[in-house]
C-alpha cells in the first residue's frame, strides 16, 4: 500500500501490479479494516464451510470468514448504486465503467501503449473496443504534425 500498488494474479496466472490514485489510497484502509490477506471485496455473509458450493480457500477471508464478492454480484451492486446518475435510469455496468476510464485517458492524450499498460490488455488491438477518439483527435494530431504550420513566417 506504501507505493499505491498491489500485486495481482491476472488471466493465465501471470503476476502483475495494479496502481491506484490518492482517493483510492484513502478509501482502501477503511475497506480492508486491517486485513492483510484474502480477497479485497467480500460478500455480506460468511462463506459456506463445506459442500459442493463451498468456495476455494483462497476465496475466503481468513479473518472474517466471508467469501470473495462475485463479478455478477459486484455488477448488480454497481448498477443499483449508479441508477440515479444514469440518464436512462438503468445504472451502468462494470464494463462501461472500464470503457469510460480508458476513453477519458485516451481523450486526455495518453498513447496506446500507456492505455495498454493501465488496462493490462495483452494486445494493443484489444483497446479498439474501448477507445474511439473521434474527429477532434484526428484534427489535433494533424495540426500538431503539420510541417507548414511549424515554419516561421517572415
Amino acid at each position: 500500500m506504501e507505493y499505491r500498488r498491489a500485486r495481482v494474479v491476472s488471466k493465465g496466472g501471470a503476476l502483475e501490479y495494479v496502481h491506484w490514485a490518492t482517493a483510492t489510497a484513502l478509501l482502501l484502509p477503511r475497506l480492508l479494516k486491517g486485513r492483510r490477506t484474502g480477497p479485497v471485496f467480500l460478500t455480506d455473509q460468511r462463506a459456506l464451510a463445506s459442500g459442493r458450493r463451498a468456495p476455494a480457500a483462497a476465496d475466503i477471508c481468513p479473518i472474517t470468514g466471508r467469501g470473495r464478492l462475485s463479478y455478477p454480484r459486484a455488477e448488480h451492486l454497481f448498477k443499483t448504486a449508479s441508477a440515479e446518475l444514469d440518464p436512462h435510469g438503468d445504472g451502468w455496468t462494470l464494463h462501461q465503467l472500464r470503457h469510460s476510464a480508458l476513453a477519458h485517458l485516451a481523450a486526455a492524450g495518453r498513447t496506446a501503449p500507456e492505455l495498454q499498460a493501465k488496462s493490462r490488455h495483452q494486445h494493443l488491438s484489444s483497446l479498439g473496443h474501448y477507445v474511439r477518439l473521434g474527429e477532434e483527435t484526428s484534427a489535433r494530431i494533424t495540426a500538431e504534425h503539420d510541417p507548414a504550420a511549424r515554419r516561421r513566417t517572415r
Side-chain angles (χ1 to χ4, degrees):
M1 300 255 294
E2 180 180 355
Y3 299 107
R4 289 194 215 164
R5 70 179 187 176
R7 190 176 70 189
V8 296
V9 179
S10 67
K11 289 181 184 176
L15 294 178
E16 299 179 15
Y17 283 91
V18 292
H19 298 84
W20 52 81
T22 302
T24 304
L26 294 172
L27 289 173
L28 268 175
R30 289 185 4 206
L31 175 68
L32 298 176
K33 295 181 182 159
R35 296 182 290 122
R36 307 272 312 153
T37 62
V40 174
F41 300 102
L42 302 172
T43 61
D44 290 335
Q45 306 166 3
R46 291 182 57 84
L48 295 172
S50 62
R52 205 167 43 113
R53 299 191 61 205
D59 289 339
I60 300 174
C61 173
I63 296 169
T64 66
R66 293 164 49 204
R68 179 185 311 271
L69 186 66
S70 70
Y71 189 92
R73 181 65 178 154
E75 182 155 79
H76 169 77
L77 293 171
F78 183 69
K79 283 187 78 138
T80 302
S82 62
E84 286 184 25
L85 302 171
D86 180 8
H88 303 290
D90 298 328
W92 293 300
T93 66
L94 294 173
H95 183 80
Q96 288 170 317
L97 179 66
R98 177 181 172 91
H99 174 96
S100 174
L102 290 174
H104 285 292
L105 288 171
R110 294 298 181 181
T111 65
E114 288 174 324
L115 296 174
Q116 182 183 19
K118 180 66 178 164
S119 66
R120 298 176 20 245
H121 278 92
Q122 293 291 320
H123 305 285
L124 282 174
S125 60
S126 302
L127 293 172
H129 297 288
Y130 293 92
V131 180
R132 305 240 188 271
L133 297 177
E135 181 184 349
E136 300 85 22
T137 304
S138 175
R140 180 179 48 79
I141 291 170
T142 302
E144 287 173 0
H145 296 281
D146 183 356
R150 289 186 285 198
R151 292 188 193 136
R152 286 190 168 162
T153 55
R154 294 183 180 205

